[in-house]
Amino acid sequence: MTEFRHVVRNRRMTRAFAPEGLDPALIDEFVDLASRAPSAGKTQGWHALVLEGPEQVGRYWDITLPIEKRASFRWTQLLDAPVLMIVLADPDAYVERYGEPDKERTGLGAGTEAWPAPYWTIDASMAAMTILLAAEDEGLGALFFGLFQNESEVRQEFAVPDRLQIIGVIALGLPAASGEPKEQARSADRPRRSPGEIIRRGRWQPSA
Ligand SMILES: Cc1cc2nc3c(=O)[nH]c(=O)nc-3n(C[C@H](O)[C@H](O)[C@H](O)COP(=O)(O)O)c2cc1C
């Protein structure tokens, strides 16, 4: 198996981390790799807001998982992850880029409503995937998770401008030695779809 196939097949979301910190240079390297992800019009309108160490990371959890809710939270060792990367997308950067002379004829410089697909979300997602694979390649654990609680408080605490979309958060760190190798979420029990179920050849048809 090639290294690429190995990394892709082995990547699983990690939800239990060891608290050891990560070298900030490693985060820079992951982001350098992610900066090579495809980007519409090479706009590269995404950002990584990195929270490092117990103080910064603790402030995130204090807002999104208040103390009184922690007893019933399933993934207690998720809070040990030494790094949280908030992935941000900048829709306006795409509107601006597609208003430039070489893209003007697309009409996409008119505003975000003109876009049939949100390329800012797509670009940031491709970059996030690269970070997940880079973490796997480095022997680290990673979890991409949503921000569902108190988004406006998170924005305020970490000074995230309203114009930036929060795509999600990536927890990064060494996997916990104590827990199961990679603790499974309930959704992990769902069977993976086979290529035969995913692919329609030649024309769309309902699944076989
Ligand atoms: C857009 C997106 C949002 C996700 N949000 C969460 C989340 O909030 N919490 C969580 O534990 N996992 C989250 N996941 C991880 C999925 O549950 C996980 O990828 C899926 O169960 C398949 O498992 P695997 O990635 O380990 O193969 C998210 C994944 C994606 C792509």
Side-chain angles (χ1 to χ4, degrees):
M1 207 174 5
T2 64
E3 230 175 299
F4 171 76
R5 285 179 163 87
H6 183 79
V7 168
V8 171
R9 284 178 181 275
N10 279 290
R11 185 212 58 77
R12 285 285 85 74
M13 297 298 188
T14 295
R15 297 179 177 84
F17 292 87
E20 281 95 312
L22 297 181
D23 182 352
L26 199 55
I27 303 300
D28 289 7
E29 196 200 335
F30 289 177
V31 171
D32 175 65
L33 288 170
S35 75
R36 290 148 207 277
S39 173
K42 214 161 181 193
T43 307
Q44 305 167 77
W46 71 284
H47 307 274
L49 173 55
V50 179
L51 309 180
E52 288 161 305
E55 196 275 321
Q56 292 182 4
V57 169
R59 281 198 276 141
Y60 179 88
W61 291 119
D62 284 347
I63 296 169
T64 57
L65 189 63
I67 305 281
E68 63 273 15
K69 291 195 178 160
R70 288 193 195 174
S72 59
F73 185 63
R74 190 169 167 211
W75 315 110
T76 49
Q77 285 178 287
L78 172 57
L79 277 65
D80 290 335
V83 173
L84 294 178
M85 180 186 289
I86 304 179
V87 180
L88 304 166
D90 183 354
D92 295 345
Y94 289 79
V95 172
E96 203 175 302
R97 169 71 186 100
Y98 278 71
E100 288 177 16
D102 63 322
K103 296 283 186 192
E104 213 176 357
R105 71 197 142 70
T106 64
L108 299 175
T112 51
E113 328 69 53
W115 292 64
Y119 280 2
W120 41 93
T121 310
I122 294 169
D123 279 11
S125 306
M126 292 199 189
M129 183 68 200
T130 303
I131 304 253
L132 297 179
L133 292 175
E136 176 64 34
D137 188 49
E138 190 65 32
L140 296 179
L143 171 69
F144 182 95
F145 63 100
L147 169 52
F148 304 113
Q149 291 289 323
N150 302 333
E151 178 177 326
S152 56
E153 286 85 347
V154 169
R155 284 182 181 275
Q156 203 178 352
E157 179 69 29
F158 299 106
V160 180
D162 286 345
R163 64 161 216 287
L164 299 180
Q165 194 179 63
I166 297 181
I167 300 294
V169 184
I170 303 176
L172 291 160
L174 286 163
S178 55
E180 293 170 43
K182 289 188 178 183
E183 245 188 302
Q184 302 269 295
R186 280 177 202 97
S187 8
D189 294 338
R190 293 165 62 86
R192 177 168 294 114
R193 294 169 72 218
S194 67
E197 291 170 293
I198 296 168
I199 300 170
R200 271 77 170 158
R201 289 199 152 87
R203 73 195 295 265
W204 174 263
Q205 50 204 304
S207 52

